[in-house]
Amino acid sequence: MGATIGMDIVVVGGGIGGLAAALSVARAGHRATVLERAPSFQELGAGIQLAPNAFHALDALGVGVEVRRRAVFTEELRLMDGVSGDVAVSLPLTGAYRKRFGNPYAVVHRGDLFQPLLQACRQHPGVDLLADHAVVGYEQDADGVRAVLADGRRVAGDLLIGADGIRSAVRGQLVGDGPPRVSGHTIYRCVVPMGEVPEDLRANRVTLWAGPKWHFVHYPIARGELLNLAATVDDGASRAVVGDPVPTDRVRNLFHRLPPVARRLLHLGRDWRTWVLCDRGPLDRWVDGRVALLGDAAHPMLQYAAQGACMALEDAVVLGRVLGEHASDVTALLKRYNDVRRERAAFAQHVSTEIGTQLYHVAGEEARQRNEMLRGLSLPDLFDRVAPLHGSRGFGLPATTRPVDLADAGH
C-alpha cells in the first residue's frame, strides 16, 4: 500500500474517543467503521471538565462551536481547605486565562460532548456506525487487519484503532497486561436540578473541597440546568465497582466532616451511584503493526487533573493528522502517532496521580504547607503551572488550530 488516502479504518469503541477518532480520520480522507459493543450509541455519566486544549481539539474536529453551545463557561477554579473551609487557591478562568490559552475552560454533561461528536459522525459520509458489535480481539497480516467479534464475524480494514476504554479487549491482546489497577479511591456521583439549589449556593465555578483522604467537587452542567456533585474517599477499596447505586445516608455519613456550605450542597444529592477508580501506568508501546490504541485504552488516568477526555480528543486529532500524511508503510504512520503522543499522555497520567496524592487528600501539616505554597503563587505562576496541559494546541505536532471567537459561538 503506497499512499494513505482512502484507507478503511476500523475503530473499536463508540465512546467519546472512538467517535472523535472516526471523525478525525474521515475528515482526513479515510473511511471509518465504528464498532460499538452496546446495543446503541450513547454516553452515560454526568459532568466532565474541558480545558482549552480540549476545545482546540474540538475545533480541529469541527464540533467546537456546537459543544460550546451546550457548555457552561466557568469563571473560576477554586480549591478549598476541607477542614477549615478557607480558600486555598483560586484560578480565574476569564480574561487573562482565555487570552493566554486561546480558548475557555468549560464544564458539560458528558452527553453534551458526546452528542455533537455522534451527530457529526452520522452526517459524515466517510463514517459508518455499527452498534451491537462486541469486539474480542483482532487478526492481521500483510494485507490488512480484521476485528474479531464475539459472535465469530470479522470486520476487515487497513488499520484498527482500539478506543474501547480502560478494559479494552484490543489492549488485552496488544499488551496483555491484565485488568486495570484499582486505585483504592471510591467516588460517589449524582446530579441535582439547579432549581432545587438555593440561590446562595449557586456559582459559576468548579469548587473542590480537599480534606484528609477525601474531597468533594461541584459545578453546574447542562447549560446551568443541573449541578454535578462528586465526592471521593481514599478508602483502600480493592475491588472495581462501576456505577452501583448507593443509599443517600451512606454518602452523607462518609462526608459528614465537610464544612457547612459544602455539606448543604452534598445533602441536596440523591440517586447516588459509586465507582471505584481504576487506572494503569504509562505505556511505551501503543502499536502492534496495523493496530493502535487511543484514549483510555492507551492511557487511562485518575480524574484529578480533569484531562482524561481531553487527552482522548488530542489523540484523535493527532491520529487524523498523521494518517493524512503519505508513507510507503502505513504501519510507520501508526508508530509516528505513538511517538508523538506517548510522552504527553504519560505526563498527564503522572500529573493526575500527583494531584490526588499531593494536593487533594493531604492532612495536618502537609495540608498547611499545601495551602501556604498555593497562596504564594501569583496569577502568572498559576497559569504557568497549568500551561503544560491546558496550553497545548498541537498536542505534539505543530499547532494548526485557531481559537474560535466566543461571540461567533453564541456566547
Side-chain angles (χ1 to χ4, degrees):
M1 188 182 302
T4 63
I5 298 302
M7 288 190 294
D8 289 312
I9 299 173
V10 178
V11 179
V12 180
I16 289 169
L19 293 181
L23 185 59
S24 185
V25 300
R27 288 167 61 91
H30 305 293
R31 296 173 296 278
T33 300
V34 183
L35 307 179
E36 166 55 34
R37 170 184 299 275
S40 62
F41 283 81
Q42 58 181 331
E43 180 67 21
L44 303 177
I48 191 169
Q49 300 179 51
L50 298 175
N53 57 312
F55 281 106
H56 289 306
L58 291 166
D59 293 340
L61 295 170
V63 295
V65 170
E66 183 56 35
V67 174
R68 285 179 179 83
R69 290 195 180 104
R70 299 163 177 253
V72 177
F73 291 173
T74 46
E75 298 173 357
E76 178 188 9
L77 293 177
R78 180 179 288 187
L79 177 67
M80 310 291 294
D81 186 307
V83 175
S84 68
D86 296 332
V87 178
V89 68
S90 170
L91 175 62
L93 300 173
T94 51
Y97 176 90
R98 293 186 186 179
K99 183 177 181 180
R100 167 81 180 262
F101 298 119
N103 255 316
Y105 194 105
V107 288
V108 298
H109 191 285
R110 291 188 72 91
D112 289 335
L113 173 59
F114 179 81
Q115 287 299 325
L117 289 167
L118 179 62
Q119 188 64 22
C121 284
R122 284 175 170 162
Q123 293 175 349
H124 199 292
V127 178
D128 289 326
L129 301 173
L130 301 178
D132 202 18
H133 280 61
V135 174
V136 297
Y138 61 86
E139 304 167 340
Q140 63 176 319
D141 53 34
D143 296 323
V145 63
R146 293 162 296 283
V148 180
L149 304 186
D151 61 9
R153 289 178 296 163
R154 269 58 171 172
V155 179
D158 299 302
L159 299 175
L160 183 145
I161 305 302
D164 46 341
I166 191 170
R167 294 172 179 82
S168 164
V170 177
R171 180 184 177 122
Q173 181 173 341
L174 195 154
V175 184
D177 57 350
R181 176 174 58 195
V182 179
S183 71
H185 296 186
T186 301
I187 187 168
Y188 301 87
R189 293 185 175 111
C190 76
V191 295
V192 177
M194 195 62 76
E196 299 178 11
V197 180
E199 290 282 350
D200 65 312
L201 296 182
R202 301 182 190 182
N204 186 16
R205 70 170 74 100
V206 176
T207 303
L208 186 142
W209 305 79
K213 289 195 170 186
W214 57 264
H215 74 270
F216 172 53
V217 63
H218 51 86
Y219 51 83
I221 57 172
R223 302 180 180 87
E225 297 172 4
L226 299 172
L227 180 69
N228 185 72
L229 304 178
T232 302
V233 58
D234 179 356
D235 57 1
S238 59
R239 181 180 64 88
V241 175
V242 182
D244 289 356
V246 294
T248 298
D249 286 347
R250 181 195 298 180
V251 181
R252 292 180 178 179
N253 291 337
L254 278 171
F255 298 92
H256 68 277
R257 294 170 294 175
L258 280 169
V261 170
R263 192 162 57 248
R264 285 175 63 197
L265 285 164
L266 183 86
H267 282 218
L268 295 173
R270 57 182 185 273
D271 299 326
W272 292 91
R273 290 185 175 272
T274 186
W275 287 256
V276 172
L277 300 175
C278 297
D279 69 348
R280 298 181 187 270
L283 180 65
D284 286 336
R285 184 177 66 90
W286 304 4
V287 171
D288 172 23
R290 295 174 176 270
V291 181
L293 303 175
L294 182 144
D296 281 351
H299 46 71
M301 62 193 70
L302 299 180
Q303 87 274 26
Y304 300 133
Q307 280 285 312
C310 301
M311 288 296 117
L313 294 169
E314 288 190 11
D315 288 348
V317 171
V318 170
L319 179 70
R321 289 179 182 164
V322 168
L323 294 183
E325 300 171 1
H326 291 266
S328 58
D329 180 4
V330 295
T331 62
L333 294 178
L334 288 186
K335 183 179 183 302
R336 173 162 158 73
Y337 155 74
N338 189 162
D339 291 343
V340 168
R341 292 297 298 155
R342 179 179 55 223
E343 289 188 12
R344 180 163 169 78
F347 174 73
Q349 288 176 288
H350 172 73
V351 170
S352 297
T353 301
E354 288 298 298
I355 287 176
T357 57
Q358 302 299 321
L359 291 183
Y360 290 176
H361 294 164
V362 295
E365 178 60 18
E366 289 183 330
R368 188 196 67 78
Q369 292 178 3
R370 174 203 61 198
N371 295 348
E372 183 177 346
M373 179 274 292
L374 291 174
R375 289 167 182 159
L377 298 175
S378 67
L379 188 58
D381 290 337
L382 290 171
F383 287 172
D384 288 344
R385 292 293 181 98
V386 300
L389 290 174
H390 294 196
S392 181
R393 305 190 187 200
F395 322 132
L397 291 172
T400 60
T401 58
R402 66 172 182 85
V404 170
D405 191 319
L406 298 183
D408 294 338
H411 294 275

